[in-house]
Amino acid sequence: MGIVIGIVIVLAIAAFLAVLTCKSKHGDLFKWLLIAIFVTFCLTWIIPYGYFSNTTFAEYGMNRLGLTDIPTSLYYGAYFGLSTLIYLFILGGFYGVLSKTKSYQALVKNIAKRLKGKELLFMVITSSLLIVLSSFIRNTFAILVFVPFLISILLNMKVDKLTTFAVTFGSILAGIVGCTYGTDGLYYINHYMGTAISTGLSYRAILAAIAIVGYEALLVLRITKTKKKKTNEDSILEADPYPVDDVKGKVSTWPMIVVFAILLVFVVLGYIGWDTNFNILVFNKFHNWLTGLNIGEDFTLFKYILGTSATGFGNFELTSLMVIILIMSVIVAFVEKVSFNDYLKNFGEGAKKMLKPVCLYVLVYTVFVAAYMSPFIPTITNWAYGLTKKFNPFIATAVAFVTSIFHADLGYTGYVVGQFLNASYAENISLIHTLYVSTYGIVQVLFPVSGLLMVGLSYLKIEYKSWFKYIWMFTVLMLVALLILATIVYY
């Protein structure tokens, strides 16, 4: 097993370096994901699959994936990420409508103008707030509802594309590394691992503080460095998928301010686990009261209007935000006197601009589906942890790192190995929990198997290797901090 894994690692590194040094700018992001899919399929040919039942591992032999499994993997990749894909299209349509309204155009231009000379302060504050929000929120994609708006402001401030990406998408990703109460999959990894939100929380809080300080330091260095370089301002503005025009005359921006204020309230209240994380039950009680109101004897009007899948604040899914965005887009069109035909046209054109990010997201989940169809991660986990009689935090970190590369879904990691880890190393479960959650965040920041990363790079038309050259120092810092923390805690 060790020789096989060594060969695969060498091949993967060789492929990584080959693409990194490739000068072609066409299909850069797709090439990385095709390599990831190819490596995953190859692993199913050389590593048997297996499952854990408590501390017992059962190996079932080879389940090699072939050519006919490619469309199946693509299908299930789209299936597993379907809600996110629909959300991205709706988000694109929303900004397609907004970007054509004078109120939105004036708001972007006015903010960019007022912040002239204060770019550094604005970017550091914005980045820090996004990191904190990402660390607390249950679904990081919900934060994207503000990102196109922030990107338009930054680009109109003449900030270059990579720095703009670092302030927005990059900050959200950095928040995943320092996950405290939020992050996709944390609830499910706790569920399957038999842990709670408080498990390892103090360790994750330390890492969150390091993430903020380290990321902001790197961002300041980047901003200071780019200020000394001359940039083509026209090319910067062309990077915006939803560009805004200059508005002549006095235009009221209050409608747009109200729209974003409402969205902020819904995102903060809807996607922070108030009940599970802080035992704040008022939102659940209010939801139960509202949906239980009767008109007449048994006609629960609000329950019928909201739908059977509606949940209270703190338990929103992306579907809830989709509905809110659609409603807000209609309200904006009505207030701005946009005709129905123009509304449909602008919404459709905006949605089309999300096609490439959506395709990349499907490919990211195709990697996950391949590892799901032939679960070789339990085999690797069983072999690696069996190298020593006692728990070894460095082996655990390495295994968690490899696992996160192939598991885009953190909750699924808890499903396949959580029970084994808790049953075998109960006395170290807080540390193990921290290692798996934080290494997942590091992989999400650095590797092209991250859905949010690939969506963001595609959105701003940035090559992966440009991001890698910028961010590798931060990920090394976080990995070193994680290993030092593990050493102190364990030894």
Side-chain angles (χ1 to χ4, degrees):
M1 175 65 74
I3 296 174
V4 170
I5 293 177
I7 293 172
V8 172
I9 291 174
V10 170
L11 291 174
I13 292 174
F16 180 84
L17 293 175
V19 179
L20 189 64
T21 55
C22 178
K23 295 182 179 180
S24 174
K25 295 183 179 180
H26 302 288
D28 171 72
L29 302 179
F30 284 99
K31 284 189 293 186
W32 285 107
L33 282 171
L34 291 175
I35 288 174
I37 293 170
F38 174 74
V39 170
T40 308
F41 269 59
C42 287
L43 286 174
T44 68
W45 279 66
I46 56 181
I47 300 179
Y49 78 100
Y51 293 97
F52 282 107
S53 177
N54 208 348
T55 59
T56 303
F57 173 74
E59 184 179 305
Y60 292 93
M62 307 304 299
N63 184 33
R64 298 183 175 95
L65 301 184
L67 295 176
T68 58
D69 296 306
I70 295 175
T72 303
S73 300
L74 288 169
Y75 168 78
Y76 282 106
Y79 175 80
F80 280 120
L82 186 58
S83 61
T84 303
L85 304 184
I86 297 173
Y87 168 72
L88 289 174
F89 278 128
I90 292 176
L91 183 63
F94 175 66
Y95 275 95
V97 174
L98 257 62
S99 62
K100 300 300 182 182
T101 62
K102 290 184 178 180
S103 180
Y104 178 79
Q105 294 169 350
L107 181 61
V108 170
K109 292 290 185 179
N110 289 347
I111 293 176
K113 185 178 180 180
R114 290 175 181 273
L115 291 173
K116 188 175 182 180
K118 303 174 184 176
E119 293 87 352
L120 177 61
L121 180 62
F122 173 71
M123 285 188 275
V124 170
I125 291 176
T126 301
S127 174
S128 299
L129 289 175
L130 288 176
I131 291 175
V132 172
L133 188 59
S134 175
S135 178
F136 274 80
I137 210 161
R138 291 176 59 247
N139 193 313
T140 50
F141 272 85
I143 309 175
L144 292 192
V145 72
F146 308 108
V147 167
F149 175 53
L150 293 171
I151 286 175
S152 291
I153 292 172
L154 290 165
L155 293 177
N156 276 273
M157 291 167 64
K158 315 306 179 189
V159 179
D160 68 279
K161 290 194 302 182
L162 186 58
T163 306
T164 297
F165 179 89
V167 173
T168 53
F169 284 98
S171 298
I172 297 172
L173 289 164
I176 300 176
V177 181
C179 161
T180 52
Y181 289 97
T183 303
D184 312 325
L186 184 61
Y187 170 82
Y188 289 102
I189 195 172
N190 284 332
H191 174 74
Y192 292 118
M193 193 176 280
T195 51
I197 192 67
S198 58
T199 303
L201 180 59
S202 59
Y203 304 150
R204 300 198 307 276
I206 293 171
L207 292 170
I210 296 172
I212 292 177
V213 174
Y215 193 82
E216 297 311 322
L218 183 64
L219 182 61
V220 170
L221 287 175
R222 167 75 187 178
I223 297 169
T224 305
K225 183 179 179 181
T226 53
K227 271 188 176 182
K228 299 176 182 179
K229 295 183 179 180
K230 292 184 178 180
T231 55
N232 187 329
E233 295 183 357
D234 292 334
S235 65
I236 290 176
L237 292 175
E238 288 173 0
D240 194 350
Y242 304 97
V244 295
D245 298 324
D246 291 319
V247 181
K248 296 181 181 180
K250 190 174 182 180
V251 178
S252 175
T253 58
W254 278 108
M256 253 350 100
I257 294 175
V258 172
V259 166
F260 283 109
I262 292 173
L263 288 174
L264 180 62
V265 169
F266 272 103
V267 169
V268 172
L269 294 184
Y271 292 92
I272 292 179
W274 302 105
D275 53 349
T276 56
N277 296 347
F278 308 107
N279 200 31
I280 297 175
L281 305 178
V282 62
F283 298 120
N284 285 348
K285 291 179 180 178
F286 173 76
H287 176 75
N288 293 334
W289 170 80
L290 182 65
T291 55
L293 280 177
N294 290 334
I295 296 179
E297 292 186 3
D298 59 355
F299 190 78
T300 52
L301 177 63
F302 290 104
K303 181 178 181 180
Y304 297 146
I305 292 174
L306 294 174
T308 56
S309 60
T311 57
F313 286 134
N315 297 292
F316 276 15
E317 299 294 338
L318 274 183
T319 49
S320 304
L321 191 55
M322 292 179 209
V323 174
I324 296 166
I325 291 173
L326 284 171
I327 293 173
M328 297 307 294
S329 70
V330 172
I331 293 174
V332 167
F334 177 78
V335 172
E336 294 292 315
K337 298 179 181 179
V338 178
S339 69
F340 182 68
N341 287 337
D342 285 341
Y343 170 80
L344 292 179
K345 177 185 175 182
N346 296 338
F347 193 95
E349 289 179 351
K352 280 197 303 185
K353 294 180 180 180
M354 285 294 185
L355 183 59
K356 184 178 177 181
V358 161
C359 290
L360 288 164
Y361 190 82
V362 171
L363 291 180
V364 167
Y365 262 76
T366 301
V367 175
F368 164 66
V369 168
Y372 174 88
M373 292 173 65
S374 182
F376 53 80
I377 288 298
T379 305
I380 294 175
T381 302
N382 181 65
W383 168 77
Y385 280 96
L387 292 175
T388 57
K389 293 182 179 180
K390 294 183 179 180
F391 172 74
N392 186 302
F394 304 108
I395 290 178
T397 303
V399 175
F401 198 87
V402 172
T403 300
S404 298
I405 291 175
F406 297 100
H407 287 180
D409 187 340
L410 178 62
Y412 181 68
T413 296
Y415 173 74
V416 295
V417 300
Q419 188 182 49
F420 159 75
L421 293 173
N422 199 349
S424 302
Y425 307 104
E427 67 276 12
N428 302 114
I429 197 63
S430 293
L431 178 57
I432 293 173
H433 184 276
T434 302
L435 294 176
Y436 273 83
V437 172
S438 295
T439 50
Y440 172 79
I442 292 172
V443 168
Q444 290 292 298
V445 171
L446 184 64
F447 284 92
V449 287
S450 164
L452 185 61
L453 174 61
M454 299 307 273
V455 166
L457 292 176
S458 174
Y459 184 92
L460 278 164
K461 300 179 180 66
I462 297 173
E463 294 180 74
Y464 168 71
K465 59 185 178 182
S466 298
W467 172 248
F468 179 84
K469 291 175 183 177
Y470 168 75
I471 201 62
W472 71 268
M473 290 179 62
F474 170 74
T475 54
V476 169
L477 167 67
M478 294 309 302
L479 185 58
V480 170
L482 182 62
L483 291 174
I484 292 174
L485 177 66
T487 302
I488 294 173
V489 170
Y490 184 70
Y491 295 104

